[in-house]
Amino acid sequence: MIIGVGIDVAEIDRFDDALRRTPGMADRLFVERELTLPSGERRGIASLAARFAAKEALAKALGAPGGLRWTDAEVLTEASGQPRLSVRGTVAARAAELGVRAWHVSLSHDAGVASAVVIAEG
């Protein structure tokens, strides 16, 4: 059963500007594994914008309650390249309240826009 669906878009240049203007913003939004590629290189801005959109979409799928921490949701990448969500803390607590047992996530970025769709399944 689908419990919630969320979608979000982020303008990549605007997101990049916000990260440059606000020191520490990336650390408030992402955990270290999200900021770097498996090779250890810094993840590109389009990829980070898509991950930010996924966190926004996740909040929408949960009904957009207040009090969710950005770093309590992590967008991981499987060896196949498929994105996967890992939740803990405030996000896991809200998901448990709603009966979420599985997550589905899709990320994309093209033409200056990053997007994400999240489906919460119970």
Side-chain angles (χ1 to χ4, degrees):
M1 171 176 72
I2 294 176
I3 292 174
V5 176
I7 185 170
D8 196 69
V9 297
E11 186 180 338
I12 295 168
D13 286 343
R14 185 173 174 206
F15 184 72
D16 188 30
D17 290 344
L19 288 180
R20 291 176 193 276
R21 265 194 330 270
T22 312
M25 182 178 175
D27 292 331
R28 288 192 303 274
L29 295 175
F30 304 108
V31 299
E32 186 60 33
R33 287 190 300 188
E34 291 174 301
L35 294 170
T36 56
L37 296 166
S39 66
E41 293 178 67
R42 180 100 171 154
R43 190 174 294 280
I45 192 64
S47 180
L48 288 176
R51 280 161 170 70
F52 175 71
K55 292 178 184 219
E56 289 276 359
L58 170 66
K60 291 173 183 176
L62 293 175
L68 298 180
R69 292 189 51 189
W70 293 107
T71 55
D72 283 348
E74 182 177 357
V75 181
L76 303 167
T77 306
E78 298 289 342
S80 65
Q82 180 179 0
R84 175 175 65 86
L85 285 172
S86 174
V87 300
R88 60 189 153 273
T90 59
V91 177
R94 176 63 177 167
E97 284 176 25
L98 297 174
V100 176
R101 292 190 320 234
W103 299 101
H104 306 276
V105 60
S106 181
L107 308 175
S108 186
H109 46 80
D110 189 30
V113 176
S115 62
V117 174
V118 171
I119 299 170
E121 181 182 354

